[in-house]
């Protein structure tokens, strides 16, 4: 039972991560390899605020959103006015720097030792410390995120993001400022990813840098590539499949020593088949070139 | 949108001593033209003459090496493309550039300026107001599609339209953004003959409504039929200008352009 609840919590957290990346990649067409960095910024910012300052989880959550959005401008403002490849490189560098800070700035983040003893979220005296209460928390935030992404993309804002994805020059030709919309979309994606990070920290009650690596960023991109992006259902399909798949492998009693390898092979196989037969993923609108 | 309304007080678009060099080679060299408002001006000349580069300069996509671009009393020389578009200068690209994965209707609706819902917080906090605007916008878009003879394609994804239909869509998009001055880069080329008639008919209807049209064209009969005034560019410079039949029968033009 608790095992099932754990999977539901992880699906909730990953839905938040993939829907926010969907905004950036699927709708706006920006290839970002630092989404796990914003996830980590959310986790560390909330954790440090809670453990060092005794701030309430929900206050820390909001602060971490703001911090993550502000840090997104460090990448977006210098690189988004340049050609697309510079942005990708910028996100790569940002991912490396944030990981470096989490790993090496030991007096601030405890580096590889990680931070234990993170308090469970509490609201008006209610403490979310059981798996069942945490499922309701992550599910509520996942639904909020899906609703938020749905609302803002089913609008002129969403249409303009898609014009930038389709043809940035033509988007300018109809009077839209791509720099403004790309910066906004990237900041919103960063802010929402921080929610996932805060929820992860409050759930695990221990964080260390290994959860927020570039491999994690690439995993999120894989989810979108398999499930699809540029609409709401693609990332949901991808998240459910890729969060549940490792558990299925475990259920099949494949030994832990080979399971990760089998998993990677299955991802690779799935990606190859999709590129050939369904470049837009299982349920997406937008295909990566 | 009243499609039969005439536009008044259209400012003159003017380029003055405009030059652009690429690595020491002139693509546009010392070009000065004042485009007559509410008329059709054609730009003709051989491949590589600098016609598209002139449009890129006017649209703000590339910066001039020297010279100025003026709209009425305003200076456009250092403006960004989207600012120039908002000032009413619309561009049909030589390679069209519709938004491929959006439907024909969405391609139009997205181009309407000043919509509630364009800022990300509006779809959440002003959703009722946004939805109220959405319906008339869709109706206006339908009317524009009808105007360009694409009404039956409203829900077709733009990448599935023929090249000619994409040109009609791109022109409708210019009307949606309420462009007063239309820069059309080869509107007739690569278009099926039946669609060509629609394109030409559309251009004359637009100028009747008070739009200013500047178009680049290789097809001489299209120029003769539509243009009120012609400029000939060759090797980055204006080599001749005048009334269409005079220019086209002029010796210099025939040597430079028609090669006879
Ligand atoms: N971005 C650029 N970089 C370098 N050279 C360029 C660039 N854009 C245009 N040119 C050069 O400028 C010259 C004019 O090109 P342009 O595209 O304006 O010609 P055109 O008159 O539109 O020709 P066509 O009828 O074939 O469309 C060409 O020699 C072209 O190679
Ligand atoms: Mg050209």
């Amino acid at each position: 039972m608790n095992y099932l609840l754990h999977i539901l919590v992880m699906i909730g957290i990953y839905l938040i991560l993939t829907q926010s990346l969907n905004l950036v990649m699927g709708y706006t067409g920006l290839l970002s390899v630092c989404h796990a960095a914003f996830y980590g910024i959310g986790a560390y910012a909330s954790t440090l605020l809670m453990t060092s300052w005794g701030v309430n989880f929900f206050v820390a959550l909001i602060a971490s959103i703001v911090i993550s959005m502000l840090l997104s401008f460090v990448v977006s403002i210098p690189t988004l006015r340049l050609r697309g490849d510079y942005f990708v490189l910028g996100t790569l560098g940002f991912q490396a720097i944030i990981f470096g800070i989490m790993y090496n700035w030991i007096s601030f983040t405890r580096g590889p030792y990680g931070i234990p003893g993170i308090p469970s979220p509490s609201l008006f005296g209610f403490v979310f410390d059981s798996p069942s209460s945490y499922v309701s928390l992550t599910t509520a935030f996942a639904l909020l995120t899906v609703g938020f992404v749905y609302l803002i993309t089913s609008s002129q804002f969403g249409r303009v993001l898609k014009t930038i994805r389709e043809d940035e020059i033509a988007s300018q030709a109809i009077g839209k400022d791509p720099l403004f919309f790309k910066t906004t979309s990237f900041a919103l994606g960063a802010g929402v990813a921080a929610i996932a990070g805060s929820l992860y920290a409050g759930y695990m009650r221990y964080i260390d840098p290994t959860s927020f690596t570039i491999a994690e960023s690439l995993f999120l991109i894989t989810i979108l590539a398999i499930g699809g992006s540029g609409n709401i259902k693609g990332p949901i399909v991808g998240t459910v499949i890729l969060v549940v798949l490792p558990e299925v492998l475990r259920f099949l009693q494949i030994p832990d020593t080979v399971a990760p390898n089998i998993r990677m092979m299955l991802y690779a196989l799935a990606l190859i088949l999709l590129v050939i037969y369904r470049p837009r993923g299982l349920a997406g609108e937008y295909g990566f070139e | 949108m009243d499609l039969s309304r005439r536009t008044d007080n259209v400012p003159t678009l003017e380029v003055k001593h405009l030059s652009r060099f690429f690595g020491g080679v002139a693509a546009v060299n010392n070009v000065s033209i004042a485009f007559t408002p509410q008329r059709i001006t054609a730009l003709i000349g051989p491949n590589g003459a600098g016609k598209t580069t002139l449009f890129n300069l006017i649209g703000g996509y590339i910066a001039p090496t020297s010279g100025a671009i003026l709209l009425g009393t305003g200076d456009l020389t250092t403006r960004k493309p989207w600012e120039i578009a908002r000032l009413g200068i619309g561009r049909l690209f030589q390679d069209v550039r519709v938004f491929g994965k959006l439907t024909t209707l969405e391609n139009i609706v997205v181009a309407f300026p000043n919509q509630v819902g364009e800022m990300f917080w509006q779809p959440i906090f002003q959703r009722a107001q946004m939805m109220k605007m959405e319906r008339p916008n869709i109706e206006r878009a339908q009317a524009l599609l009808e105007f360009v003879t694409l009404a039956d394609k409203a829900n077709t994804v733009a990448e599935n339209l023929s090249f000619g239909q994409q040109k009609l869509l791109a022109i409708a998009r210019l009307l949606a953004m309420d462009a007063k001055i239309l820069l059309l880069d080869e509107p007739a080329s690569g278009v099926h003959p039946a669609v060509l008639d629609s394109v030409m008919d559309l251009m004359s209807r637009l100028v009747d409504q008070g739009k200013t049209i500047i178009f680049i064209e290789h097809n001489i009969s299209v120029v003769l039929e539509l243009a009120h005034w012609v400029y000939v560019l060759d090797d980055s410079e204006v080599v001749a200008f005048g009334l269409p039949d005079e220019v086209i029968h002029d010796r210099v033009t025939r040597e430079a352009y028609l090669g006879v």
Side-chain angles (χ1 to χ4, degrees):
Chain A
M1 183 59 193
N2 276 0
Y3 173 63
L4 195 67
L5 294 175
H6 168 73
I7 294 173
L8 289 176
V9 168
M10 293 319 285
I11 287 178
I13 289 173
Y14 274 90
L15 273 179
I16 298 170
L17 287 171
T18 53
Q19 287 293 4
S20 50
L21 186 61
N22 183 28
L23 192 63
V24 176
M25 289 188 67
Y27 284 94
T28 322
L30 293 170
L31 178 58
S32 161
V33 293
C34 67
H35 211 60
F38 294 119
Y39 180 34
I41 288 166
Y44 272 88
S46 292
T47 296
L48 291 171
L49 283 168
M50 285 191 288
T51 56
S52 326
W53 297 59
V55 173
N56 175 278
F57 173 84
F58 292 93
V59 177
L61 171 86
I62 290 168
S64 76
I65 295 173
V66 174
I67 291 167
S68 186
M69 289 179 83
L70 290 176
L71 285 173
S72 81
F73 297 125
V74 174
V75 186
S76 60
I77 290 176
T79 62
L80 276 176
R81 59 184 69 240
L82 306 171
R83 264 199 353 250
D85 344 0
Y86 289 96
F87 174 73
V88 182
L89 287 176
T91 62
L92 186 65
F94 185 75
Q95 172 70 51
I97 290 168
I98 294 300
F99 183 78
I101 291 174
M102 293 189 292
Y103 199 83
N104 295 315
W105 192 351
I106 292 176
S107 60
F108 181 45
T109 64
R110 289 177 46 90
Y113 311 113
I115 306 176
I118 302 170
S120 290
S122 64
L123 190 64
F124 307 122
F126 182 85
V127 184
F128 294 86
D129 55 358
S130 68
S132 53
S133 63
Y134 220 89
V135 166
S136 55
L137 189 64
T138 48
T139 306
F141 274 102
L143 289 175
L144 273 177
T145 300
V146 171
F148 175 74
V149 175
Y150 172 76
L151 284 180
I152 65 170
T153 54
S154 60
S155 71
Q156 171 71 356
F157 177 70
R159 279 192 294 258
V160 173
L161 294 187
K162 288 184 187 179
T163 66
I164 292 165
R165 175 190 84 192
E166 295 295 310
D167 190 327
E168 197 171 322
I169 291 184
S171 185
Q172 298 187 55
I174 59 167
K176 311 303 173 196
D177 175 6
L179 194 59
F180 173 77
F181 285 96
K182 288 191 293 186
T183 310
T184 305
S185 161
F186 189 60
L188 291 173
V192 175
I195 300 176
S198 305
L199 287 170
Y200 179 79
Y203 177 62
M204 301 307 279
R205 312 194 50 194
Y206 166 82
I207 54 169
D208 70 42
T210 57
S211 307
F212 313 110
T213 57
I214 182 146
E216 183 68 13
S217 288
L218 296 177
F219 176 61
L220 297 173
I221 294 172
T222 307
I223 295 179
L224 291 194
I226 289 177
S229 63
N231 59 12
I232 295 296
K233 60 178 189 283
I236 297 178
V237 170
T239 301
V240 171
I241 291 176
L242 272 86
V243 173
V244 171
L245 181 71
E247 312 303 331
V248 172
L249 291 182
R250 195 172 308 176
F251 187 70
L252 294 176
Q253 305 219 315
I254 293 168
D256 274 355
T257 44
V258 294
N261 298 327
I262 293 184
R263 210 157 72 208
M264 291 323 281
M265 276 157 58
L266 283 178
Y267 292 166
L269 184 69
L271 283 176
I272 292 168
L273 290 176
L274 283 167
V275 166
I276 298 171
Y277 296 108
R278 279 187 87 96
R280 294 178 189 180
L282 294 172
E285 170 184 301
Y286 170 57
F288 299 113
E289 271 99 61
Chain B
M1 174 185 304
D2 179 6
L3 292 169
S4 60
R5 171 198 63 186
R6 272 193 65 95
T7 324
D8 295 315
N9 300 325
V10 185
T12 302
L13 175 66
E14 192 174 359
V15 298
K16 279 188 169 163
H17 306 292
L18 197 64
S19 297
R20 169 70 204 212
F21 290 77
F22 289 109
V25 183
V28 166
N29 194 3
N30 197 26
V31 169
S32 297
I33 302 175
F35 296 98
T36 314
Q38 310 191 311
R39 288 288 179 278
I40 302 185
T41 304
L43 297 176
I44 63 174
N47 292 115
K51 306 179 295 293
T52 298
T53 305
L54 182 59
F55 274 9
N56 283 337
L57 288 164
I58 295 171
Y61 298 94
I62 55 176
T65 308
S66 61
I69 303 150
L70 307 170
L71 181 64
T73 53
D75 188 350
L76 303 186
T77 313
T78 58
R79 298 257 175 199
K80 299 207 168 66
W82 56 271
E83 294 175 310
I84 291 171
R86 287 185 181 193
L87 290 169
I89 300 181
R91 164 91 180 265
L92 170 69
F93 293 95
Q94 194 165 350
D95 49 357
V96 192
R97 292 176 177 270
V98 293
F99 303 117
K101 293 207 166 49
L102 273 60
T103 65
T104 302
L105 193 73
E106 285 173 320
N107 264 272
I108 306 288
V109 175
V110 74
F112 291 130
N114 308 321
Q115 292 182 53
V116 176
E118 187 156 305
M119 296 296 115
F120 74 89
W121 59 87
Q122 291 171 331
I124 297 172
F125 298 112
Q126 289 169 257
R127 196 156 189 96
Q129 203 183 333
M130 178 185 109
M131 297 311 276
K132 219 165 79 191
M133 250 182 121
E134 198 78 356
R135 184 176 296 274
N137 277 341
I138 288 170
E139 279 163 15
R140 279 162 73 200
Q142 298 272 16
L144 279 170
L145 284 179
E146 216 151 289
F147 188 68
V148 300
T149 66
L150 285 177
D152 55 329
K153 302 284 182 207
N155 297 316
T156 307
V157 177
E159 64 189 2
N160 293 339
L161 296 175
S162 76
F163 189 60
Q165 289 169 334
Q166 291 189 3
K167 286 198 175 177
L168 291 170
L169 174 57
I171 294 173
R173 199 168 68 181
L174 301 183
L175 304 180
M177 58 178 270
D178 206 20
K180 309 274 191 295
I181 299 175
L182 309 180
L183 309 177
L184 311 179
D185 200 339
E186 306 202 14
S189 80
V191 170
H192 187 274
V195 182
L196 177 59
D197 284 341
S198 310
V199 172
M200 290 173 63
D201 176 57
L202 179 58
M203 285 170 65
S204 45
R205 279 186 293 154
L206 288 173
V207 90
D208 286 344
Q209 286 175 17
K211 303 283 189 195
T212 305
I213 295 183
I214 304 159
F215 78 117
I216 295 172
E217 192 49 66
H218 284 286
N219 184 332
I220 293 302
S221 60
V222 174
V223 174
L224 282 171
E225 181 162 339
L226 287 176
H228 299 119
W229 199 251
V230 175
Y231 288 88
V232 185
L233 265 80
D234 186 21
D235 197 8
S236 77
E237 292 176 33
V238 173
V239 294
F241 59 88
L243 292 168
D245 47 352
E246 285 174 9
V247 166
I248 282 161
H249 298 111
D250 177 79
R251 195 179 55 84
V252 182
T253 312
R254 280 166 49 191
E255 279 171 6
Y257 185 43
L258 306 169
V260 290

